[in-house]
Amino acid sequence: MSSSNDSLHTTPVFLLTGFPGLENAHVWISIPICSMYLTAIVGNCTILFVIKTEKSLHEPMYYFLSMLALSDLGLSSTTLPTMLSVLWFNYRPIHFNACLIQMYFIHTFSILESAVLLAMAFDRVIAIRSPLRYVSILTNSMIVKIGLGLSVRAVLLVLPASFLLKRLQYGRVNVLSYSFCLHQDIIKVAQSDRRVSSIYGLLVVLSSMALDSLLLVLSYIVILKTVLSIASKEERFKTLNTCISHICAVLIFYIPMIGLSMIHRFGKQASPIVHILMANVYLLVPPLMNPIIYSVKTKKIRAQILRKLCSNRSLLEVHAP
């Protein structure tokens, strides 16, 4: 009797998973993954630095881009430590509270990124429909309020999920599916009734990413109607071209997320490697690609990055012996 009580009060052990069957190749697998992390961190820091130091970029569109870069940095820095501990050192255990904290930040930054993409769509709607009122509508104070509102929504939506997971009972050893902690993965290993946690998780998805995606579609319907009312083909093309970077960022964020959800629902017979790859794509690709897309497709960002690179090169040549 006492032994059973002891086992109930024992802190559960959670084990992260790398790439099953490929443990001997983990060091090699870590090379492209670390390269993606490094590129994502350097790229997003570069975007933030350029926007902060260049006064011509102190405009609503670039403020929202800064928010996107910050959410990408948060997502990358949250998953990197456990990913490297598994791939480099094959260290799989993670404390339950640490797992909950990581899960909290992963989902918070994901919801925040979805919300920022919606805010950027709102920015494009105003810029295209009411260009003369653009600056008067999206004032600095309005952008601060939008940013705070998006952050508070993400923080408050995910917080109850952590407490609900804390109340569940788990086995002594719990093997997770990935090298980081996700809500649906922790629920899967729970041994007590998890209906409340599952329902709340679904409500969070519906009230955040599902709602955001619906509003994104409606925003682009409004944009298309406005663009089609423009008489000149050149003006239509020029106006739509201002949305290309944002459309790419939306697709890069939502396609992996939908793919991961579909595999969870309908791909239970698929190899664990497929699930792991999709989860890594979902968390790694948006932070990697967003700064690349905006650096290539946004003329002002590209010009300022090139200007700073050229000025740094000139300074090195001047100080060279």
Side-chain angles (χ1 to χ4, degrees), residues 124 127-129 220 223 226-228 230 232-244:
R124 291 298 84 206
I128 292 169
R129 289 205 71 182
Y220 271 97
I223 289 171
T226 306
V227 169
L228 291 174
I230 300 172
S232 170
K233 286 186 178 180
E234 288 185 7
E235 285 298 316
R236 288 183 194 174
F237 178 78
K238 186 178 178 181
T239 303
L240 279 175
N241 196 46
T242 63
C243 301
I244 295 297

Side-chain angles (χ1 to χ4, degrees), residues 145-281:
K145 289 176 184 177
I146 291 172
L148 286 174
L150 301 181
S151 302
V152 169
R153 185 189 76 154
V155 167
L156 295 183
L157 273 177
V158 184
L159 194 59
S162 302
F163 289 105
L164 289 172
L165 288 175
K166 186 86 172 174
R167 294 173 62 250
L168 298 179
Q169 293 179 0
Y170 303 89
R172 195 172 65 84
V173 178
N174 306 274
V175 180
L176 300 177
S177 303
Y178 313 111
S179 53
F180 38 79
C181 300
L182 296 178
H183 183 266
Q184 60 268 33
D185 203 22
I186 299 174
I187 282 182
K188 190 171 66 176
V189 299
Q191 294 185 350
S192 56
D193 188 359
R194 53 198 178 193
R195 282 177 296 179
V196 175
S197 288
S198 297
I199 292 170
Y200 184 77
L202 178 61
L203 290 174
V204 169
V205 172
L206 291 175
S207 60
S208 57
M209 296 179 183
L211 179 61
D212 292 347
S213 61
L214 177 61
L215 294 174
L216 274 166
V217 171
L218 293 175
S219 298
Y220 271 97
I221 290 173
V222 172
I223 289 171
L224 282 174
K225 287 179 67 176
T226 306
V227 169
L228 291 174
S229 66
I230 300 172
S232 170
K233 286 186 178 180
E234 288 185 7
E235 285 298 316
R236 288 183 194 174
F237 178 78
K238 186 178 178 181
T239 303
L240 279 175
N241 196 46
T242 63
C243 301
I244 295 297
S245 299
H246 181 252
I247 291 170
C248 291
V250 169
L251 292 176
I252 285 169
F253 179 77
Y254 278 100
I255 288 176
M257 183 184 72
I258 293 169
L260 183 61
S261 300
M262 294 293 286
I263 284 179
H264 269 290
R265 294 288 184 274
F266 308 111
K268 294 181 180 178
Q269 302 302 321
S271 167
I273 298 294
V274 176
H275 289 259
I276 292 165
L277 282 175
M278 283 304 301
N280 280 279
V281 166

Side-chain angles (χ1 to χ4, degrees), residues 31-313:
I31 294 173
I33 289 177
C34 288
S35 300
M36 292 172 73
Y37 271 115
L38 183 62
T39 305
I41 291 169
V42 170
N44 285 292
C45 286
T46 301
I47 293 288
L48 289 170
F49 174 75
V50 168
I51 292 173
K52 184 179 186 297
T53 56
E54 185 55 46
K55 289 186 178 180
S56 64
L57 299 179
H58 293 179
E59 298 176 5
M61 173 184 172
Y62 302 106
Y63 289 143
F64 288 127
L65 180 56
S66 297
M67 295 180 200
L68 186 67
L70 285 171
S71 64
D72 282 336
L73 280 174
L75 203 55
S76 298
S77 58
T78 300
T79 55
L80 180 61
T82 54
M83 179 82 75
L84 293 185
S85 71
V86 172
L87 294 180
W88 283 2
F89 309 108
N90 197 31
Y91 184 79
R92 297 175 59 198
I94 181 170
H95 193 276
F96 181 47
N97 289 333
C99 191
L100 287 181
I101 291 169
Q102 185 186 50
M103 178 220 76
Y104 174 79
F105 281 109
I106 288 175
H107 290 292
T108 297
F109 283 120
S110 295
I111 291 172
L112 181 59
E113 179 150 349
S114 173
V116 171
L117 289 172
L118 177 60
M120 295 173 84
F122 176 65
D123 168 83
R124 291 298 84 206
V125 169
I126 296 174
I128 292 169
R129 289 205 71 182
S130 307
L132 298 178
R133 298 176 57 206
Y134 178 70
V135 177
S136 62
I137 294 173
L138 287 176
T139 60
N140 288 344
S141 62
M142 176 59 72
I143 292 169
V144 170
K145 289 176 184 177
I146 291 172
L148 286 174
L150 301 181
S151 302
V152 169
R153 185 189 76 154
V155 167
L156 295 183
L157 273 177
V158 184
L159 194 59
S162 302
F163 289 105
L164 289 172
L165 288 175
K166 186 86 172 174
R167 294 173 62 250
L168 298 179
Q169 293 179 0
Y170 303 89
R172 195 172 65 84
V173 178
N174 306 274
V175 180
L176 300 177
S177 303
Y178 313 111
S179 53
F180 38 79
C181 300
L182 296 178
H183 183 266
Q184 60 268 33
D185 203 22
I186 299 174
I187 282 182
K188 190 171 66 176
V189 299
Q191 294 185 350
S192 56
D193 188 359
R194 53 198 178 193
R195 282 177 296 179
V196 175
S197 288
S198 297
I199 292 170
Y200 184 77
L202 178 61
L203 290 174
V204 169
V205 172
L206 291 175
S207 60
S208 57
M209 296 179 183
L211 179 61
D212 292 347
S213 61
L214 177 61
L215 294 174
L216 274 166
V217 171
L218 293 175
S219 298
Y220 271 97
I221 290 173
V222 172
I223 289 171
L224 282 174
K225 287 179 67 176
T226 306
V227 169
L228 291 174
S229 66
I230 300 172
S232 170
K233 286 186 178 180
E234 288 185 7
E235 285 298 316
R236 288 183 194 174
F237 178 78
K238 186 178 178 181
T239 303
L240 279 175
N241 196 46
T242 63
C243 301
I244 295 297
S245 299
H246 181 252
I247 291 170
C248 291
V250 169
L251 292 176
I252 285 169
F253 179 77
Y254 278 100
I255 288 176
M257 183 184 72
I258 293 169
L260 183 61
S261 300
M262 294 293 286
I263 284 179
H264 269 290
R265 294 288 184 274
F266 308 111
K268 294 181 180 178
Q269 302 302 321
S271 167
I273 298 294
V274 176
H275 289 259
I276 292 165
L277 282 175
M278 283 304 301
N280 280 279
V281 166
Y282 168 59
L283 292 177
L284 278 171
V285 170
L288 170 71
M289 293 304 299
N290 284 337
I292 295 173
I293 289 168
Y294 278 94
S295 298
V296 172
K297 294 298 296 180
T298 306
K299 187 177 179 180
K300 281 188 176 181
I301 294 283
R302 184 173 70 249
Q304 292 304 325
I305 290 174
L306 291 174
R307 189 175 71 82
K308 290 186 182 298
L309 287 174
C310 291
S311 63
N312 288 338
R313 183 179 177 182

